[in-house]
Amino acid sequence: MDEHTLLFGADGTERVVAVDALNKEAKLFIRTPLGVRSEQREWSPWMFAEEEHPLRGARWSEVAAPEKGVWLRKLAWFDSLSDLHAAREAMQERGVPFLAPGSRVRQFLTATGITLFKGMGYTELHRLQLDIETTSLDPREHGAKLLMVALCDNRGYEEVIAGDERTIIRRLSQEVQRLDPDVIEGHNLLAFDLPYLYERANAVEESLVLGREEQTLTKLGYARSRSWRWSQWDVYGRHLVDTMHAIQRFDVGRGELDSYGLKQAAAALGIAEENRIILDRTEMQRLAEQEPERVREYALQDVRETRSLADLVCATDFYQTQMVPESYQAVAEMGMGEKINALMHRAYLAAGHGIPLPKPPGAVPGGYTEVRRTGVLRPVVKGDVQSLYPSIMDRFEIAPSSDVLGVFLPMLRELTRRRIEAKARMRETEGQERTYWDGLQSSFKVLINSFYGYLGANVHFNDPQAAAQVTTRGQAIVRRAAEETERLGGKVIEVDTDGIYFVPPPEVAGSLDAEEAFVARVGEALPEGIHLVHDGSFRAMLSLKVKNYALQREDGRLVFHGASLRSRADEPFGRDFLSRGVALLLEGDRAGLTALYKDTARAILQGELPIEALARRERVTEKTFHSSAKRRAKQAAEGIQAKVGDYVRVYEAQGGVLKPLSAYSNDENREYYVDKLYKFACRLEPALGEDLPSVFPHPSALKASYGNQPSLFEF
């Protein structure tokens, strides 16, 4: 099987924008210059198992597999999806291993080698953005009502639909049918907009017709990640993309966003609408009646920002869908290991070969990390071992031992080759063509970097021993790079898995050419096929501990890394203090740092900081209601009827009580927050050392100087 087929499937049908697989036939929706046409394809659902089982509609055959090891060496084809679903339930009840994806789209695409969006660029996808304005957050509470629906798309269309609820829902359905988008996007679409529309449509007995061929929205159930709980939906012939989930995935490796809310994220990413209108949700009904045009513009700004967010963060998922046999909305929510699993399943099914069962988990050493210097250092250069783990796997031919067909490394190498080619084309082009190549190379990069993680995951072709080989070699390589950096006159600050921050020799500092040449000299000491590249120059670096540092770019902007300096669990006043304090520290202004500390303490003790600056965000979990250690959080959550998965804002009140922000009554525990300020300040101790007490006086001195709140012990 050639590399192109391994990555993109054996069927070359282009411009398929959606698939809906039924019992014996699947319907393909294909975008043409004249619109979208449909096409029928015959197919059969499938299942792998260790041995044959008497299942309704199953036609069993034995496929190739090694004699040793535990393999799913029997393959069944079914007459219908209903037979497959019955078979899945039967196998689950028997507790025997099998492989048969429940997704009908994945079943069909894996069996046929078709993938979506072949021959298309991201800008060719017709995307419709949706946002609703309502009287409440709960569509079932008394007085709940839709006020308006705002729509726009990536072709210049904009519309705000208002009126009574039946009119809004009917016109929304008509507009979706008329526009015929491939994707419906929204911010918190799955957990708020669609559930609200669904419930209000039921309440007024109006059909919510959002699918192709006038199919109604279908509710499937619920899904949950570590951070989110949302409803699962099916829209026939289209895809649903939630930009709140997309922006969270985008920020996973960056940690730069304090909030995933639409307005906050858009502002932080520099894509907020000009003259952005901010309205109080609790006043929305009154505003819609008294200032309808202002609310309409506010709603349009919401959908425009949703479109801009999707433009920024969703192209990677689109291009991965050209490879992974699943729907666009499923690819957007899938874990990276499962995407590679899907590619492996397709290759082995096409070859008529069995599937191995996952190996037991094994200990895998982590990447090498070390901090050699702390404090403020300048100037700083970063050297990066380019694609360290994938390069090791390629160079030393490390692959799963169960990959007897040898498809794992060829896929990795072909992805790498295509990414290099796409990056080169990106540098040579401009405008939309550059955007296309950038999105493509980014999708390749994400998949490439997931091949190592696949080895250690609980997936069919895993191999913990191979994963350990990769990390062990990686540790040796990055250590060698650090040693060579020091030998050539650099001063290593931090080593982190595949990167090295260092102070360059004096004769190198300040010249990009000299820095790049120095990094290249260091790279000469590494094994063939492993490349060290210059990955940035910085004016200064504040190094605190492993993976906790701040970088000052040449233009003065700061980049924070690690929970010591930037954590969403911290109160806003603490994040603000650390951000401003780090800037002063990097400028060498210790007097200014002390003044900032004292001014913040005074403002807290004298009640000048708004309670919003003191309240922290806390997620409600099962432990909130059942752990004795979470007793105070439980009381706060129950006070506002919060559910598992919700985020609540809480503050420390007098008397050791944790209260929800909505219950604030000028009763914050100011002494507690001054103590908390001191704890924030102490995070900078590695940079201040013995000078910490002189820069940051103890809270007792601050309370004596500025306090006007009676001590709790006086009551």
Side-chain angles (χ1 to χ4, degrees), residues 213-251:
E213 299 183 355
E214 299 190 352
Q215 296 290 313
T216 57
L217 177 71
T218 303
K219 186 174 183 178
L220 302 177
Y222 294 94
R224 183 190 296 276
S225 69
R226 289 178 59 190
S227 304
W228 308 102
R229 179 180 185 271
W230 64 92
S231 302
Q232 292 182 301
W233 305 90
D234 181 64
V235 177
Y236 181 79
R238 308 192 204 282
H239 309 273
L240 302 169
V241 171
D242 195 321
T243 53
M244 179 175 279
H245 294 187
I247 198 67
Q248 184 187 28
R249 293 191 299 272
F250 174 80
D251 193 48

Side-chain angles (χ1 to χ4, degrees), residues 36-333:
V36 175
R37 66 175 178 84
S38 62
E39 180 180 307
Q40 301 289 128
R41 294 283 182 97
E42 290 187 358
W43 78 293
S44 295
W46 52 272
M47 172 187 284
F48 282 101
E50 280 188 277
E51 56 188 39
E52 293 185 18
H53 293 265
L55 301 172
R56 186 184 70 202
R59 303 183 304 280
W60 289 98
S61 63
E62 184 162 357
V63 290
E67 293 183 4
K68 294 183 179 180
V70 183
W71 287 74
L72 304 177
R73 57 184 76 244
K74 298 290 185 177
L75 175 63
W77 296 95
F78 291 86
D79 294 328
S80 67
L81 274 169
S82 57
D83 286 345
L84 172 70
H85 294 323
R88 281 172 49 85
E89 291 179 5
M91 297 291 274
Q92 288 168 348
E93 289 176 2
R94 294 170 188 175
V96 295
F98 71 94
L99 169 64
S103 161
R104 61 185 187 273
V105 173
R106 182 163 168 182
Q107 277 271 338
F108 171 77
L109 295 177
T110 303
T112 62
I114 295 171
T115 56
L116 305 185
F117 308 144
K118 277 193 181 90
M120 295 178 65
Y122 181 56
T123 56
E124 296 179 82
L125 197 65
H126 188 188
R127 299 164 27 232
L128 178 72
Q129 295 77 41
L130 176 151
D131 182 77
I132 64 175
E133 303 303 334
T134 67
T135 61
S136 67
L137 294 176
D138 185 346
R140 296 185 179 184
E141 73 178 34
H142 179 71
K145 188 171 66 173
L146 275 172
L147 296 173
M148 60 182 66
V149 174
L151 300 171
C152 73
D153 71 2
N154 59 331
R155 299 180 174 184
Y157 163 85
E158 288 186 352
E159 180 68 46
V160 176
I161 303 171
D164 63 84
E165 288 188 294
R166 184 172 279 107
T167 298
I168 291 174
I169 292 166
R170 185 180 300 130
R171 285 197 55 208
L172 169 62
S173 298
Q174 291 169 348
E175 285 299 277
V176 171
Q177 297 306 308
R178 183 181 68 82
L179 294 165
D180 196 20
D182 306 316
V183 184
I184 298 174
E185 299 169 344
H187 202 77
N188 207 15
L189 176 74
L190 302 179
F192 179 69
D193 296 80
L194 290 184
Y196 210 103
L197 286 166
Y198 184 82
E199 292 295 340
R200 298 316 303 161
N202 286 341
V204 298
E205 299 180 341
E206 186 70 35
S207 297
L208 189 57
V209 186
L210 301 184
R212 283 194 161 110
E213 299 183 355
E214 299 190 352
Q215 296 290 313
T216 57
L217 177 71
T218 303
K219 186 174 183 178
L220 302 177
Y222 294 94
R224 183 190 296 276
S225 69
R226 289 178 59 190
S227 304
W228 308 102
R229 179 180 185 271
W230 64 92
S231 302
Q232 292 182 301
W233 305 90
D234 181 64
V235 177
Y236 181 79
R238 308 192 204 282
H239 309 273
L240 302 169
V241 171
D242 195 321
T243 53
M244 179 175 279
H245 294 187
I247 198 67
Q248 184 187 28
R249 293 191 299 272
F250 174 80
D251 193 48
V252 164
R254 297 169 175 82
E256 297 175 0
L257 298 179
D258 293 329
S259 170
Y260 297 130
L262 176 63
K263 298 164 188 63
Q264 297 89 337
L269 295 169
I271 55 175
E273 283 286 295
E274 189 176 354
N275 300 318
R276 188 44 158 119
I277 298 171
I278 303 296
L279 300 179
D280 185 345
R281 172 174 284 280
T282 62
E283 293 286 302
M284 198 61 70
Q285 183 166 9
R286 180 186 64 81
L287 292 169
E289 294 170 355
Q290 298 178 4
E291 302 179 64
E293 288 306 313
R294 188 160 177 253
V295 177
R296 289 169 66 91
E297 181 59 25
Y298 167 83
L300 281 174
Q301 288 179 334
D302 278 354
V303 286
R304 292 171 190 149
E305 288 182 348
T306 299
R307 179 180 59 203
S308 297
L309 276 180
D311 288 343
L312 180 66
V313 303
C314 291
T316 296
D317 295 326
F318 170 85
Y319 290 111
Q320 287 181 2
T321 307
Q322 293 181 336
M323 296 177 274
V324 178
E326 253 294 9
S327 68
Y328 178 37
Q329 70 185 64
V331 168
E333 302 288 351

Side-chain angles (χ1 to χ4, degrees), residues 287-403:
L287 292 169
E289 294 170 355
Q290 298 178 4
E291 302 179 64
E293 288 306 313
R294 188 160 177 253
V295 177
R296 289 169 66 91
E297 181 59 25
Y298 167 83
L300 281 174
Q301 288 179 334
D302 278 354
V303 286
R304 292 171 190 149
E305 288 182 348
T306 299
R307 179 180 59 203
S308 297
L309 276 180
D311 288 343
L312 180 66
V313 303
C314 291
T316 296
D317 295 326
F318 170 85
Y319 290 111
Q320 287 181 2
T321 307
Q322 293 181 336
M323 296 177 274
V324 178
E326 253 294 9
S327 68
Y328 178 37
Q329 70 185 64
V331 168
E333 302 288 351
M334 287 169 72
M336 294 308 303
E338 186 56 30
K339 292 175 184 177
I340 298 173
N341 222 22
L343 296 177
M344 298 293 288
H345 291 164
R346 181 178 62 198
Y348 273 68
L349 179 62
H353 198 285
I355 305 288
L357 288 181
K359 290 182 171 63
V364 178
Y368 179 69
T369 60
E370 177 191 7
V371 169
R372 296 190 180 181
R373 291 171 173 83
T374 59
V376 177
L377 301 114
R378 54 170 59 90
V380 173
V381 172
K382 184 186 180 187
D384 180 72
V385 185
Q386 201 169 39
S387 298
L388 174 61
Y389 289 169
S391 296
I392 290 171
M393 294 159 68
D394 181 13
R395 169 69 178 80
F396 299 101
E397 297 192 339
I398 300 174
S401 59
S402 55
D403 178 25

Side-chain angles (χ1 to χ4, degrees), residues 572-603:
F573 85 92
R575 294 200 302 270
D576 179 65
F577 168 77
L578 286 171
S579 295
R580 296 165 65 189
V582 167
L584 292 167
L585 197 54
L586 288 172
E587 294 297 334
D589 187 359
R590 293 198 176 187
L593 186 57
T594 301
L596 171 67
Y597 174 72
K598 290 182 176 180
D599 286 347
T600 305
R602 179 192 55 77

Side-chain angles (χ1 to χ4, degrees), residues 680-696:
F680 283 122
C682 287
R683 295 183 186 180
L684 303 178
E685 183 177 10
L688 297 170
E690 295 179 354
D691 294 338
L692 181 76
S694 61
V695 177
F696 300 130

